[in-house]
Amino acid sequence: MSKPLLDTLTGLSPSRRPVWLMRQAGRYLPEYREVRQSAGGFLNLCYTPELACEVTLQPLRRFDLDAAILFADILLIPQAMGCDLDFRENEGPVLRKIGSVSDVGQLASDIDELNKTLSPVYDAVSAIRSSLDSDKTLIGFCGAPWTVATYMIEGGTSVERAASRLAAFADEAWLNELIDKLVVSSIEYLSCQVEAGAEVLQIFDTWSGDLSGDLLQRYCFAPIAAIRSELKKRYPHVPVIGFARGVGVSQTDFIAASEVDGVSIEWPVNTKWARDNLIEHCIVQGNLDPLSLIGGGDGMLNATRLILQDLPMDRHIFNLGHGIRKETPPEHVGELVSFIREFDGAAKA
Ligand code: CP3
């Protein structure tokens, strides 16, 4: 049976325009909140394969989506490397800060040790893959080295990631070493996800818009390129989507440097510009503003229509420009997906 998402990314003509939503499993769904509560916290959920599998599948039971994305987090790698991690209610992640050669030296980099800690994630991947309908694609993921490093350096979410950017400007040896370690562990982490059943990989560089010029190339694009090229050697058939959020017109440089199969674009990227400059090089994913799903109705549908008109069905994966918000009424997601199916059905007829 054909898989619309995988077909689009591998250059086959998809049976329909694939749709999935970043953070499609999460707090906007009451059934997610229930499982999370019973698990006793977000990290327990990530490390209990049956529960991670259950919440991964929840959005596919409600909505006509084409992909499942593994339920985990980009911060599980730093945690496995020995950087203590806690998710506090309404505060987001809190990590032990890294900021010197000795801090980086103390991080675990033994691959077997990391994989032992992360093995419940791989078990979740296998469980999801075996429960998934044959037309659905399973997406594995990791954070890009720059974004993961910012959480380690700042000790959590921060407004402007100043310490990280200053370290980049200063060409700090410990930052370079940290990025190198994250490249190596991300390659192993994604490889194990593929071995367990992931069919497509996405690399999230949420904070690549922090940097510009040479630093953007060096700390964001080059590490993603290194991960992608090693994965292509090991698994030539597994497409990689890159999400270099906030780089604007540098998306073209990102595609050239990383050779990703797809790029996920944030909502300020003009879709006519994306059509004229990106789709000849790779598949474009995006880019509805997640805020529009909170309001729903014509505001959401008009913005969706413009995206569907601008980006051709066989070169586009419909998605949001960033993760779905927890205030989103689930019925608006249902209306969004039905609208996309009707629009494409009418265009085909
Ligand atoms: O998309 C999915 O459904 C798959 C699961 C997934 C999560 N996080 C689950 C999650 C994915 C792909 C991520 C990626 C992630 N995590 C990113 C990159 C993408 C992006 O959103 O920019 C980043 C930066 C993180 C780090 C992270 N995790 C933060 C900053 C937070 C707290 C903010 C928040 O929304 O609460 C998390 C927690 C997190 N990761 C939740 C979920 C469902 C909420 C946890 C909860 O249930 O309380």
Side-chain angles (χ1 to χ4, degrees), residues 257-336:
S258 66
E259 298 183 58
V260 286
D261 304 276
V263 274
S264 204
I265 55 173
E266 65 275 25
W267 66 91
V269 178
N270 180 293
T271 40
K272 289 189 174 57
W273 179 86
R275 179 193 62 204
D276 295 342
N277 294 280
L278 305 181
I279 58 168
E280 64 189 287
H281 304 294
C282 73
I283 300 302
V284 170
Q285 172 173 281
N287 69 342
L288 183 66
D289 182 344
L291 201 77
S292 73
L293 268 85
I294 296 177
D298 285 347
M300 171 180 82
L301 301 181
N302 290 336
T304 302
R305 186 183 299 107
L306 291 177
I307 296 170
L308 298 173
Q309 282 167 346
D310 284 344
L311 296 168
M313 209 180 313
D314 60 340
R315 302 286 293 164
H316 178 222
I317 299 164
F318 191 92
N319 206 316
L320 306 180
H322 199 194
I324 198 164
R325 304 249 199 147
K326 66 172 188 288
E327 305 83 2
T328 305
E331 55 279 15
H332 291 177
V333 177
E335 285 159 24
L336 170 73

Side-chain angles (χ1 to χ4, degrees), residues 20-27 32 36 42 45 69-75 87 89 92-93 141 147 151 157 204 206-207 243 245 322-323:
W20 70 279
L21 306 175
M22 288 194 259
R23 289 273 180 100
Q24 63 191 25
R27 286 166 299 188
Y32 168 83
R36 182 183 183 281
F42 172 68
L45 194 47
I69 179 161
L70 162 69
F71 190 85
D73 198 83
I74 66 163
L75 301 177
F87 278 91
E89 204 59 52
F141 73 92
T147 288
Y151 284 94
T157 306
F204 287 89
T206 304
W207 301 123
F243 182 33
R245 177 169 167 263
H322 199 194

Side-chain angles (χ1 to χ4, degrees), residues 2 24 28 33 88 114 116 156 170 180 199 304 323-324 329 331 339:
S2 78
Q24 63 191 25
Y28 73 106
R33 295 196 296 269
R88 298 184 192 152
L114 292 179
K116 212 166 135 200
D180 289 347
E199 302 168 284
T304 302
I324 198 164
E331 55 279 15
F339 180 80

